[in-house]
Amino acid sequence: MSTQNRNPSHNSDAKKTGEATKTSLKDGSSVTKRLQRELMTLMMSGDYGISAFPDNNNMFRWIGTIIGAKGTVYDSLEYKLTLEFPSGYPYKAPTIRFETPCYHPNVDQWGNICLDILKEEWSALYDVRSILVSLQSLLGEPNVKSPLNTQAASLWENQEEYKKVLLEKYRSATSQSKSK
């Protein structure tokens, strides 16, 4: 996968000839175009429970929403996310965080997410839609062997108790955010 994540416009000759500035401007434009295409793909996909849009017309910062998949303990729970795209996107992974507090084995108290495709398994072939679908799937199918929240991971096996704690924490977090 390393060749998929190599930006073909970055080469040592451009830097030697003083064209690095032109290259970075061109890269920003190509990133914006790619993100515009991904926005259109996402809007046309019709996937249940996922959406994202640029934050105040900033193509490099999006606000997303994920609704928990049917048949999981997260069924119908709605979570807000931020997606921040680096200038090297898609060759570098975006930074994604849960803004709505999320009680989950692979999400820490600050909303950071432990998901291999956002870290060491990132590929330039991923897009916003596939990332959101993966996060939605992660809600119902966590990797309890690599938890950020060990309490949630240890409770995961007992789905009835897990759901009780999850709903309590979700209601508390969402009622606090509504009162602000």
Side-chain angles (χ1 to χ4, degrees):
M1 286 219 194
S2 64
T3 57
Q4 295 169 337
N5 292 334
R6 196 169 302 137
N7 188 338
S9 67
H10 286 117
N11 62 44
S12 57
D13 293 337
K15 291 176 183 158
K16 288 178 189 171
T17 60
E19 297 197 12
T21 304
K22 289 180 186 175
T23 301
S24 65
L25 290 174
K26 187 177 91 175
D27 289 351
S29 168
S30 64
V31 172
T32 300
K33 286 179 184 175
R34 167 137 177 181
L35 288 169
Q36 288 170 334
R37 281 193 311 272
E38 290 189 24
L39 177 59
M40 287 304 295
T41 300
L42 180 61
M43 289 171 41
M44 302 300 285
S45 73
D47 291 313
Y48 169 79
I50 61 169
S51 66
F53 297 96
D55 185 18
N56 293 320
N57 294 320
N58 179 352
M59 287 303 291
F60 289 84
R61 180 179 164 81
W62 293 20
I63 304 297
T65 303
I66 294 178
I67 298 174
K70 295 189 184 314
T72 71
V73 292
Y74 291 89
D75 189 346
S76 302
L77 300 183
E78 185 174 308
Y79 293 92
K80 297 283 182 216
L81 306 141
T82 54
L83 299 86
E84 294 185 2
F85 300 92
S87 60
Y89 182 81
Y91 304 103
K92 293 182 180 173
T95 301
I96 303 175
R97 285 180 6 121
F98 277 91
E99 293 302 318
T100 305
C102 181
Y103 182 75
H104 188 275
N106 304 118
V107 179
D108 70 14
Q109 64 188 5
W110 299 282
N112 299 310
I113 304 163
C114 180
L115 181 61
D116 59 354
I117 67 164
L118 297 177
K119 307 280 187 240
E120 69 277 354
E121 294 298 319
W122 173 254
S123 167
L125 300 175
Y126 292 122
D127 63 4
V128 173
R129 183 191 159 277
S130 63
I131 294 166
L132 292 174
V133 168
S134 295
L135 288 171
Q136 189 181 47
S137 294
L138 181 69
L139 287 179
E141 300 170 22
N143 178 359
V144 294
K145 293 181 179 160
S146 180
L148 286 178
N149 180 336
T150 55
Q151 183 208 18
S154 64
L155 195 55
W156 181 257
E157 290 300 314
N158 183 344
Q159 288 286 282
E160 190 175 311
E161 185 63 24
Y162 185 92
K163 186 172 185 174
K164 188 172 138 185
V165 172
L166 167 67
L167 292 177
E168 180 182 301
K169 289 183 179 290
Y170 181 81
R171 287 184 187 116
S172 173
T174 55
S175 68
Q176 286 176 6
S177 65
K178 287 178 184 175
S179 64
K180 288 182 181 177

